[in-house]
Amino acid sequence: MKSSDASRLTLILLFAPFALWIILLIILPQIGVGWLSLREKLGPREYAFGFGNYLDFFREPIYWNTLLRTAWISVLVTILALLIGFPVAWYIAKIARQRSRAALFLMCLIPLWVSDLVRAFGWILLLRETGIVSGMLQWAGLSSGPVELLYNDITVVIGMVYTVVLFMIVPLVSTLDGMDNALLEAGYNLGGSRMTVFRRIVIPYAMPGIVAGCIITFMLAAGSYLTPILLGGKNSMWFTEQIYEQFVTRYNWESGATFGVLLLVFTSAVVWLGLRLTGQNLASTVAKE
Amino acid sequence: MHDLECVNLTRIFGRHIAVNDVSFTVPRGSFFSILGPSGCGKTTLMRMIAGFETPDSGDIRIKGKSVLEVAPNRRSVKMVFQHLALFPMMTVGENIAYGLKCRGENRSDITRKVADVLARIGLPGVQDKQISQLSGGQKQRIAIARCMVLEPDVLLLDEPLGALDLKLREQMKIELKLLQHQFNTTFLYITHDQSEALVMSDNVAVMNAGRFEQIGTPKELYNQPGSGFVAGFVGDTNRWLGRVTGLSGDEARIALDAGPEIIARAGGALVAGARAEIFFRPETVSLTPIEGANQLSGVVDSLLFNGANSRILLRSSDRLIEIAQGVMDATTPVARGDSAIAWFRPAHALAFAAPEAG
Amino acid sequence: MTVRKSLTARLLAATICATALLPGAAMAETLRLLTWGGYAPDNVIALFEKEYPDIDVEVTLSNNEEMVAKLRATGGAGFDLAQPSHDRIFAAQSEFDIYKPLDLSKIETGKMQANLLEAVKANTTIDGGVYAVPHQWGTTGLVVDVTKAPDVKDWADLCKEEYKGKTSMRLRRTILLGMGFSLGYDPFALYNDTAAYTEMLDKVAEKMIACKSVIKTYWNGGDDLSTLLLSGEVVASESWDSTAFKLYGENQNLVYVPPSSGALTWIDTFVIPSKGRADDAAYKWINFVMRPEIVTMMSDSTGAIAAVEGGIELLPEAKKAAVKLAFDDAAIANMKFFANIPPGLEDIEGKVLERIKAASGN
């Protein structure tokens, strides 16, 4: 009895920080935000309960267009991060020698050593009209006058891919690392071409890593704030900016909370759809044996 | 007609010669093993045949045609990998169908061939199982079936039994031999385990430091080893160093280091006065006197009971001599600490010139 | 057991020590300031703490919107003195109840410039209580590179085709008001007529959307704006006067131009959050920073003009020159003070701003 009590106590003690973290920092605030989103503002210090805030969202095309735009750019960022991250991960996991591997990993980490803000300013210095890239283009004679590379959606996508690509690379490296090279050789040996081996062996094997990477990348992209605002142009709307505006500039916490809930629901739906389309499920991705 | 022919194959990595001028032929439908210690170059040799390595010189011919210019996925050589390399994300059926699909066969043919090969390896109806649901021996058979369904000219096996436990390994040895008979395909088997090579093979090549020491049937290798390395590597043996004091015909008189003079059969060219290695197998050594035999006296160090493989260890001038003859039949009751004499016939002792360094 | 005993004893001792120290700790009061960047320069804090050794000053930097959001989140707790602009107090107070009325007898109001004090009082009196007094004032207008865009005189000039890709503005309510003035409206007069105000905003939005193809980008903060102008990428922009004066210090071609329809004038004030715990220290700070010698130090840091009699004269020399260059008497007479924002108005403006941002220009 005693020892089982003790082991149960150990279990509770070990579990407690996790449970507290989940409950205090994730579940409770979410409930709070959810509750706030159902509060309609009638006038100063006058509120009623209802779904008015959600109706407002769907009645205003600017809002849901911004949400769709955010989602679509985030999907694009995710795809680009996958296309760029996969070869990098492949190189680190399969081609690089053991010793240089740590250094390569570290190089991928460098962008995370500086804050979002500094990173964005880095891009601004590079891409602005009087910036380094524009200067080099003129110096090389590729352009007759200054080129403005900043303040458009492409810049936003580049900036975000740069920020999130590491989160694509890490899960990919860890799955590819676990892949026995003999599987590839067996794939060739049994008559597969490079394409077949890649499509039928590498991709299915790396699928859990790909899915994990894509989920993280997509969520990070959709939830990012500074990069799209600082690099985006006069037309670039981002949903988190919309949420900030509602909360801070317009004192409209109710609508801000509604947007927050909608962003969570919508991105979750996109992830769910992605899992369905690729025939994966969350359990096989996260709890890979 | 030979299914596989290697001519003067050489592969060099930097300053290390992994495979050094190796030539051999494997007759159709036979079981050929390459036996050697790890690092002897046997895996490199196999990878060259499979096409994963390119030889620096020499030629590889399958059914008489050089395959050096043929990409690995176009060679009619299939390989069973050391850890089998079954595709974990595919079912058993998909694993076997993989090669057929790559070849572009139609769906109904594939289904039929998969069912067929599974029946032949004695695992009918497991198409839909996951790889992780199979036992070690079943995985082994699936890995072979995956290759055999493609009807290759040569099947390469890279120590596939290494990962199995002892009991299963013994069982699989027999099963592999049966499968080879059944498919009647040429098997090229790589191993460092001499018992695997001896039990299964029609012919065995003993490989050492990038070269073939000897090619022969298991019996030839055991009874007439062509070099000291083969004598020492194939089967259990007692090894002693000495100096050649006289030669007459194929008999050599040899003074053992810190031991008496004995008479041995010359396994290779010997020069009087040169250093020599002498090998004699435990089962040829007896504690009962044999007329005209060599004698080594010593003290019984220990008795090792191992059923049919039981041994007496006799300590003679700081060397242990393994004795297998007459251990189990109680013809020579000895105990630890007893003085005894080991007897063995000159015909059972083989002498080779000792390697330079030895 | 002995171990435990000694542990208990130590804990006890520690507690006693802590208790003994507590009154001492309570002696040193903390003044938690919620204010704009530059409004609590280190040299001023050092002088203040030297004069009042028992007060520690803690500074949190913010802006109008975030000040309200922060105080709203805590119901007016966490800070002892805040500095929102005068037009942002009435609505926030009526809606969220985050400030407390000031005790004017504790403030040396006599030193303050009378018209500004009256304007702030008029704007921030609720149920007989006065909630704010002025601290510094400044204007929002235009900053122009006189060598490259000499004819930018009013808000609408930022939309001139000849400066395509070379102008900038901040996409906030200020520019809506400025454009309104430029288009001949008086937005402040329309504040309480929602329908008329909305109609004006529609016209403004139309103008702003058409203007997007000319604008290079919308700036977000002072640093942003400074880089755009100093690099020469932008030749004319909406600007805070303080930022423009700093730019003038670096490049004499960058001049602050009060728009011909009138520079929009804000007054940053002092308010005391409803759950502030150091009111006395707060009043001490207010009176302290209104002293002439402190005003000069403060203005040097903020670039804004103190709301005391003769505030312009108390500016540091370099800034005084820039201000005198920018403002003649006519420009000063033409200044437009921000009027109180009625509740709900910012919501309408917010939607217009979103519409402008979402509209596709090139």
Side-chain angles (χ1 to χ4, degrees):
Chain A
M1 268 318 260
K2 267 251 167 84
S3 77
S4 90
D5 277 355
S7 72
R8 200 200 274 165
L9 185 69
T10 315
L11 198 70
I12 291 170
L13 284 177
L14 284 173
F15 185 68
F18 176 71
L20 280 177
W21 181 60
I22 291 282
I23 292 169
L24 290 179
L25 294 174
I26 295 178
I27 296 181
L28 280 183
Q30 280 302 331
I31 291 174
V33 166
W35 176 80
L36 198 58
S37 74
L38 293 173
R39 202 174 70 167
E40 282 178 50
K41 188 165 160 184
L42 299 178
R45 301 186 211 178
E46 240 187 299
Y47 300 99
F49 184 84
F51 289 91
N53 296 318
Y54 289 90
L55 289 177
D56 284 348
F57 172 85
F58 289 107
R59 277 197 213 111
E60 178 55 71
I62 288 178
Y63 295 156
W64 47 262
N65 276 332
T66 307
L67 183 57
L68 288 179
R69 206 184 108 86
T70 304
W72 130 248
I73 292 186
S74 301
V75 167
L76 186 70
V77 166
T78 307
I79 292 170
L80 286 175
L82 179 61
L83 292 181
I84 294 169
F86 201 95
V88 176
W90 183 266
Y91 183 83
I92 293 177
K94 291 284 161 210
I95 300 172
R97 283 200 222 127
Q98 200 66 39
R99 251 189 306 160
S100 53
R101 205 181 273 192
L104 285 168
F105 238 129
L106 220 58
M107 270 164 62
C108 294
L109 269 171
I110 287 174
L112 296 186
W113 287 355
V114 296
S115 79
D116 254 7
L117 199 65
V118 176
R119 242 178 292 156
F121 276 119
W123 282 108
I124 289 175
L125 283 180
L126 272 180
L127 298 177
R128 65 181 314 129
E129 197 180 331
T130 50
I132 294 164
V133 173
S134 166
M136 274 166 56
L137 285 177
Q138 290 173 74
W139 176 79
L142 294 172
S143 154
S144 53
V147 198
E148 178 61 274
L149 299 164
L150 211 57
Y151 310 126
N152 58 53
D153 289 349
I154 298 169
T155 320
V156 172
V157 170
I158 293 173
M160 286 210 283
V161 167
Y162 169 73
T163 308
V164 298
V165 75
L166 175 78
F167 297 92
M168 184 63 88
I169 292 175
V170 171
L172 281 178
V173 167
S174 80
T175 34
L176 290 177
D177 209 22
M179 185 167 85
D180 187 354
N181 283 340
L183 287 182
L184 303 177
E185 291 183 344
Y188 289 123
N189 182 260
L190 293 168
S193 60
R194 270 171 193 279
M195 199 54 220
T196 318
V197 171
F198 183 72
R199 197 170 49 83
R200 296 212 43 217
I201 296 168
V202 177
I203 297 274
Y205 193 93
M207 208 40 154
I210 293 174
V211 171
C214 285
I215 291 177
I216 301 171
T217 310
F218 176 76
M219 287 302 207
L220 280 176
S224 61
Y225 176 73
L226 279 172
T227 311
I229 287 179
L230 291 178
L231 302 183
K234 49 197 176 187
N235 304 319
S236 89
M237 303 277 280
W238 203 251
F239 203 65
T240 50
E241 185 185 6
Q242 208 63 266
I243 296 176
Y244 177 88
E245 291 283 317
Q246 292 294 341
F247 266 101
V248 174
T249 311
R250 296 179 43 192
Y251 311 145
N252 196 341
W253 287 17
E254 293 71 27
S255 142
T258 307
F259 288 9
V261 171
L262 286 167
L263 180 62
L264 181 68
V265 170
F266 188 73
T267 48
S268 306
V270 171
V271 167
W272 176 82
L273 195 72
L275 287 172
R276 283 298 298 266
L277 289 178
T278 54
Q280 296 284 314
N281 62 59
L282 210 54
S284 75
T285 304
V286 179
K288 195 177 152 255
E289 46 176 314
Chain B
M1 177 81 172
H2 299 299
D3 267 356
L4 176 66
E5 193 177 354
C6 291
V7 187
N8 306 114
L9 273 184
T10 300
R11 178 78 175 104
I12 301 169
F13 295 114
R15 299 178 60 189
H16 171 67
I17 306 175
V19 175
N20 188 356
D21 195 23
V22 166
S23 301
F24 65 99
T25 55
V26 182
R28 171 161 303 173
S30 70
F31 197 121
F32 189 94
S33 291
I34 297 173
L35 172 65
S38 57
C40 72
K42 58 189 191 300
T43 300
T44 307
L45 178 56
M46 174 164 280
R47 290 173 62 80
M48 284 196 283
I49 297 167
F52 299 132
E53 298 277 354
T54 312
D56 291 309
S57 64
D59 195 10
I60 300 165
R61 296 181 196 132
I62 291 170
K63 289 214 162 94
K65 279 187 194 149
S66 172
V67 293
L68 286 186
E69 300 303 316
V70 182
N73 54 350
R74 301 252 170 258
R75 292 190 189 182
S76 183
V77 172
K78 300 302 160 206
M79 182 157 172
V80 176
F81 288 79
Q82 192 162 13
H83 299 288
L84 306 179
L86 293 170
F87 306 132
M89 56 282 169
M90 300 184 194
T91 62
V92 170
E94 286 166 346
N95 260 282
I96 295 173
Y98 172 85
L100 296 170
K101 278 187 194 158
C102 289
R103 211 187 257 177
E105 301 205 5
N106 71 49
R107 195 172 292 231
S108 59
D109 278 356
I110 291 177
T111 316
R112 183 176 49 74
K113 285 186 179 179
V114 170
D116 220 38
V117 80
L118 284 174
R120 288 177 80 180
I121 59 161
L123 288 171
V126 298
Q127 283 95 326
D128 295 328
K129 281 203 178 171
Q130 294 299 320
I131 297 300
S132 55
Q133 291 173 287
L134 301 178
S135 72
Q138 287 172 328
K139 283 183 191 165
Q140 197 83 51
R141 281 187 272 174
I142 297 301
I144 292 166
R146 186 172 72 171
C147 296
M148 294 317 295
V149 77
L150 299 171
E151 293 160 345
D153 291 327
V154 178
L155 182 69
L156 307 176
L157 300 103
D158 183 8
E159 305 206 33
L161 304 187
L164 301 182
D165 61 57
L166 185 66
K167 192 113 191 200
L168 193 55
R169 198 153 57 200
E170 294 301 318
Q171 210 177 316
M172 282 310 295
K173 277 185 212 167
I174 298 163
E175 205 161 313
L176 266 180
K177 183 73 189 161
L178 290 175
L179 281 172
Q180 193 256 336
H181 272 300
Q182 198 189 347
F183 287 108
N184 197 26
T185 301
T186 307
F187 276 33
L188 180 66
Y189 190 94
I190 278 194
T191 184
H192 67 274
D193 181 318
Q194 39 144 322
S195 101
E196 284 175 19
L198 296 181
V199 169
M200 294 188 281
S201 315
D202 298 315
N203 282 293
V204 179
V206 178
M207 195 171 181
N208 183 33
R211 286 177 173 280
F212 275 5
E213 293 270 343
Q214 187 176 2
I215 304 175
T217 64
K219 206 168 153 190
E220 281 166 0
L221 293 178
Y222 195 84
N223 292 331
Q224 287 134 40
S227 70
F229 177 81
V230 176
F233 193 73
V234 179
D236 290 342
T237 191
N238 292 302
R239 176 173 169 272
W240 208 315
L241 286 167
R243 184 172 301 281
V244 182
T245 52
L247 287 165
S248 69
D250 70 340
E251 279 202 345
R253 181 171 292 276
I254 288 156
L256 297 180
D257 291 355
E261 216 173 45
I262 60 158
I263 295 174
R265 190 154 58 87
L270 287 176
V271 180
R275 304 278 300 155
E277 279 183 301
I278 296 88
F279 298 90
F280 50 101
R281 299 201 182 276
E283 66 268 26
T284 63
V285 187
S286 171
L287 288 183
T288 39
I290 303 170
E291 204 178 331
N294 296 310
Q295 298 173 31
L296 289 170
S297 60
V299 175
V300 175
D301 185 87
S302 45
L303 298 163
L304 304 177
F305 181 78
N306 184 18
N309 286 322
S310 297
R311 294 278 195 273
I312 293 168
L313 296 185
L314 187 75
R315 182 171 293 282
S316 169
S317 42
D318 271 356
R319 284 172 196 273
L320 286 174
I321 301 169
E322 283 189 45
I323 299 163
Q325 207 180 74
V327 175
M328 282 305 292
D329 55 9
T331 47
T332 49
V334 289
R336 229 186 124 186
D338 290 355
S339 292
I341 295 173
W343 303 76
F344 57 97
R345 291 177 204 280
H348 288 149
L350 269 176
F352 294 96
E356 314 273 309
Chain C
M1 270 321 264
T2 47
V3 173
R4 180 171 294 180
K5 199 168 209 171
S6 76
L7 185 68
T8 319
R10 254 182 287 167
L11 272 177
L12 203 64
T15 316
I16 291 166
C17 285
T19 323
L21 281 172
L22 264 177
M27 290 281 284
E29 213 172 354
T30 306
L31 175 63
R32 296 162 300 169
L33 274 179
L34 179 60
T35 189
W36 301 78
Y39 275 45
D42 288 342
N43 50 357
V44 173
I45 291 176
L47 287 175
F48 182 77
E49 287 181 344
K50 200 170 151 201
E51 184 161 337
Y52 302 101
D54 52 340
I55 301 176
D56 285 333
V57 181
E58 253 177 46
V59 182
T60 304
L61 300 182
S62 188
N63 59 41
N64 264 330
E65 289 88 0
E66 285 181 2
M67 277 185 215
V68 177
K70 281 201 167 90
L71 290 171
R72 183 187 170 190
T74 58
F79 298 96
D80 305 310
L81 187 61
Q83 298 210 261
S85 298
H86 72 286
D87 58 328
R88 300 299 187 107
I89 297 162
F90 188 89
Q93 173 58 17
S94 357
E95 203 161 345
F96 310 125
D97 194 15
I98 49 180
Y99 306 125
K100 60 173 109 171
L102 299 177
D103 181 352
L104 291 180
S105 68
K106 292 189 175 165
I107 301 171
E108 293 165 34
T109 49
K111 284 185 182 169
M112 292 173 177
Q113 199 177 327
N115 65 332
L116 294 175
L117 177 63
E118 287 314 310
V120 170
K121 272 162 108 173
N123 272 325
T124 63
T125 304
I126 302 170
D127 299 332
V130 174
Y131 282 83
V133 289
H135 174 216
Q136 303 200 96
W137 62 275
T139 60
T140 302
L142 303 165
V143 64
V144 171
D145 185 333
V146 284
T147 60
K148 292 181 188 142
D151 61 339
V152 173
K153 300 288 180 205
D154 200 9
W155 303 103
D157 294 340
L158 292 175
C159 302
K160 280 189 174 171
E161 274 300 320
E162 53 195 289
Y163 304 122
K164 191 174 173 109
K166 298 248 168 227
T167 65
S168 182
M169 51 178 66
R170 183 168 182 248
L171 193 59
R172 295 279 176 202
R173 60 186 305 270
T174 319
I175 193 67
L176 297 180
L177 298 169
M179 266 320 163
F181 277 113
S182 226
L183 292 174
Y185 293 91
D186 180 354
F188 298 139
L190 300 175
Y191 262 13
N192 290 313
D193 182 350
T194 309
Y197 192 72
T198 311
E199 200 188 305
M200 179 205 80
L201 284 178
D202 285 343
K203 287 276 186 298
V204 168
E206 207 177 293
K207 173 82 181 165
M208 296 272 293
I209 289 168
C211 190
K212 276 187 95 171
S213 59
V214 177
I215 299 289
K216 179 187 182 70
T217 187
Y218 298 119
W219 55 270
N220 293 305
D223 295 337
D224 223 9
L225 174 63
S226 301
T227 331
L228 284 170
L229 280 150
L230 287 175
S231 66
E233 290 176 19
V234 158
V235 297
S237 173
E238 173 196 352
S239 172
W240 294 311
D241 54 3
S242 54
T243 312
F245 296 152
K246 276 184 195 156
L247 288 172
Y248 179 76
E250 297 190 39
N251 179 349
Q252 308 271 308
N253 289 332
L254 299 175
V255 171
Y256 181 70
V257 175
S260 52
S261 60
L264 295 168
T265 310
W266 39 262
I267 309 167
D268 285 334
T269 66
F270 287 112
V271 294
I272 298 187
S274 58
K275 290 180 187 149
R277 289 192 313 227
D279 294 359
D280 280 339
Y283 289 121
K284 280 177 188 155
W285 176 267
I286 296 172
N287 291 326
F288 184 79
V289 299
M290 286 306 199
R291 291 181 194 168
E293 70 276 17
I294 306 295
V295 161
T296 306
M297 290 166 76
M298 185 69 90
S299 290
D300 189 29
S301 157
T302 62
I305 303 157
V308 294
E309 296 292 350
I312 292 178
E313 293 307 317
L314 287 171
L315 285 172
E317 290 306 320
K319 291 216 169 88
K320 210 191 293 177
V323 173
K324 291 203 165 155
L325 178 73
F327 285 100
D328 49 19
D329 292 340
I332 291 185
N334 195 26
M335 287 191 318
K336 302 283 193 281
F337 282 91
F338 280 106
N340 264 341
I341 307 167
L345 196 76
E346 282 184 287
D347 218 37
I348 303 170
E349 291 168 346
K351 282 189 178 147
V352 171
L353 291 171
E354 275 159 8
R355 208 162 81 215
I356 295 167
K357 179 130 196 211
S360 53
N362 296 303

